[in-house]
Amino acid sequence: MTTQFTYFGIHFAFLLPPILILGWLAIRRDRAWWGVRPLSGLGIMIALAIVYTTPFTNRLIPVGVWWYGEGAVLATVWYTPIEEYLFFVLQPILTALWLFQVRPTADRSLAIPRTHRLLGVAGGLAIAVIGWALLDNTPTYYLGWLLLWAGPVLALQWGFGSTYLWNVRRPLLVAIAVPTLYLWLVDRIAIELGVWVISDAHTTGYALLGLPIEEALFFLVTNLFVVQGITMYVWVLDRIGGVSAWTNASPRLPTSSDDR
């Protein structure tokens, strides 16, 4: 049966509108992050998302971990639909533009205790090891690959800046939670519409708010990647340059109060 809603339809209905709104707010609001530093950080995150996620999806799709409804996608490159590659671009943009509103920042030097770095690396690697152990069982196959895939990135990020991330934990939590909850909703809608289907055989059967736990975890860790990555990128440039991301921002569009 051909689904009446397509993957491109998901992008147009649920991703592009908030991206346009948040982008407009980032340009207009004086207190939002904008300019070369945060935007170049976003560009790096997009490039890394494409490079790092492409092998992941092309490993799991042919195994049958998930598939797409009939007529839901336009074309595929390798095993992955072009709409999925577009999502690799749109999700970081959506999450980053929300992050630009929250702008987690603390005045802390780049010097971090070695024990903190070691604990951060150990935490990420432990996640990867758990994922590796879960690959042997079919019901934990998706979860295992997800943890194995996420662990090395988290090890790098936590090893580099776990102390700083802890210092800005409250705004960081807001920056991660809001887009994650929103994408959980979008994913749930897409599954209900049959745009994509998650394999029962390759998942644990546990759900969070009606969403397979593996899907919920995917959006959580990918938003962690984006938010932590850009936050630390801006932090490093601030420490090196001695100027904050928003005081070195590009000129914004004039507001009504500016015209008076």
Side-chain angles (χ1 to χ4, degrees), residues 5-18 182 186 189 193:
F5 215 87
T6 66
Y7 202 160
F8 268 127
I10 295 293
H11 291 333
F12 282 113
F14 298 106
L15 294 182
L16 289 181
Y182 180 71
V186 174
I189 292 172
L193 292 173

Side-chain angles (χ1 to χ4, degrees), residues 55-140:
F56 176 73
T57 59
N58 284 289
R59 176 67 181 84
L60 298 186
I61 290 174
V63 176
V65 173
W66 72 83
W67 58 91
Y68 302 88
E70 184 180 352
V73 299
L74 184 62
T76 60
V77 177
W78 201 350
Y79 295 103
T80 300
I82 58 174
E83 296 90 340
E84 193 79 62
Y85 292 110
L86 180 58
F87 183 75
F88 298 166
V89 176
L90 294 179
Q91 183 191 353
I93 293 175
L94 173 66
T95 301
L97 289 175
W98 171 251
L99 170 66
F100 293 175
Q101 311 300 319
V102 180
R103 54 181 183 80
T105 308
D107 185 11
R108 183 183 178 87
S109 73
L110 296 177
I112 289 179
R114 182 177 299 177
T115 54
H116 292 192
R117 295 191 187 278
L118 292 175
L119 286 173
V121 171
L125 293 181
I127 291 173
V129 170
I130 293 171
W132 179 269
L134 293 175
L135 293 179
D136 288 338
N137 296 317
T138 301
T140 58

Side-chain angles (χ1 to χ4, degrees), residues 15-26 94 97:
L15 294 182
L16 289 181
I19 284 174
L20 292 174
I21 293 170
L22 290 172
W24 180 82
L25 288 173
L94 173 66
L97 289 175

Side-chain angles (χ1 to χ4, degrees), residues 37-65:
R37 293 181 180 185
L39 289 176
S40 61
L42 171 57
I44 292 170
M45 288 299 109
I46 291 172
L48 291 175
I50 295 171
V51 171
Y52 195 63
T53 313
T54 294
F56 176 73
T57 59
N58 284 289
R59 176 67 181 84
L60 298 186
I61 290 174
V63 176
V65 173

Side-chain angles (χ1 to χ4, degrees), residues 8-258:
F8 268 127
I10 295 293
H11 291 333
F12 282 113
F14 298 106
L15 294 182
L16 289 181
I19 284 174
L20 292 174
I21 293 170
L22 290 172
W24 180 82
L25 288 173
I27 294 172
R28 300 281 292 190
R29 291 184 65 234
D30 289 337
R31 295 298 294 170
W33 274 353
W34 197 250
V36 174
R37 293 181 180 185
L39 289 176
S40 61
L42 171 57
I44 292 170
M45 288 299 109
I46 291 172
L48 291 175
I50 295 171
V51 171
Y52 195 63
T53 313
T54 294
F56 176 73
T57 59
N58 284 289
R59 176 67 181 84
L60 298 186
I61 290 174
V63 176
V65 173
W66 72 83
W67 58 91
Y68 302 88
E70 184 180 352
V73 299
L74 184 62
T76 60
V77 177
W78 201 350
Y79 295 103
T80 300
I82 58 174
E83 296 90 340
E84 193 79 62
Y85 292 110
L86 180 58
F87 183 75
F88 298 166
V89 176
L90 294 179
Q91 183 191 353
I93 293 175
L94 173 66
T95 301
L97 289 175
W98 171 251
L99 170 66
F100 293 175
Q101 311 300 319
V102 180
R103 54 181 183 80
T105 308
D107 185 11
R108 183 183 178 87
S109 73
L110 296 177
I112 289 179
R114 182 177 299 177
T115 54
H116 292 192
R117 295 191 187 278
L118 292 175
L119 286 173
V121 171
L125 293 181
I127 291 173
V129 170
I130 293 171
W132 179 269
L134 293 175
L135 293 179
D136 288 338
N137 296 317
T138 301
T140 58
Y141 189 79
Y142 185 5
L143 180 61
W145 266 109
L146 181 57
L147 296 178
L148 179 61
W149 174 76
V153 177
L154 295 176
L156 286 172
Q157 291 187 337
W158 294 344
F160 180 79
S162 59
T163 306
Y164 180 74
L165 295 173
W166 179 255
N167 290 157
V168 296
R169 61 190 178 278
R170 291 181 180 176
L172 202 72
L173 178 61
V174 174
I176 294 167
V178 171
T180 298
L181 290 170
Y182 180 71
L183 290 173
W184 284 357
L185 175 62
V186 174
D187 193 26
R188 175 71 185 276
I189 292 172
I191 292 173
E192 291 292 331
L193 292 173
V195 178
W196 52 79
V197 182
I198 308 301
S199 167
D200 290 333
H202 293 89
T203 52
T204 61
Y206 294 106
L208 180 63
L209 303 177
L211 191 67
I213 194 69
E214 295 83 358
E215 287 286 281
L217 186 59
F218 172 81
F219 290 110
L220 174 60
V221 298
T222 50
N223 282 330
L224 274 171
F225 293 169
V226 174
V227 171
Q228 292 181 159
I230 295 177
T231 298
M232 290 189 293
Y233 177 79
V234 172
W235 168 51
V236 170
L237 294 185
D238 284 352
R239 294 302 93 195
I240 294 174
V243 182
S244 66
W246 56 87
T247 59
N248 193 34
S250 299
R252 284 171 163 71
L253 297 177
T255 62
S256 57
S257 60
D258 295 330

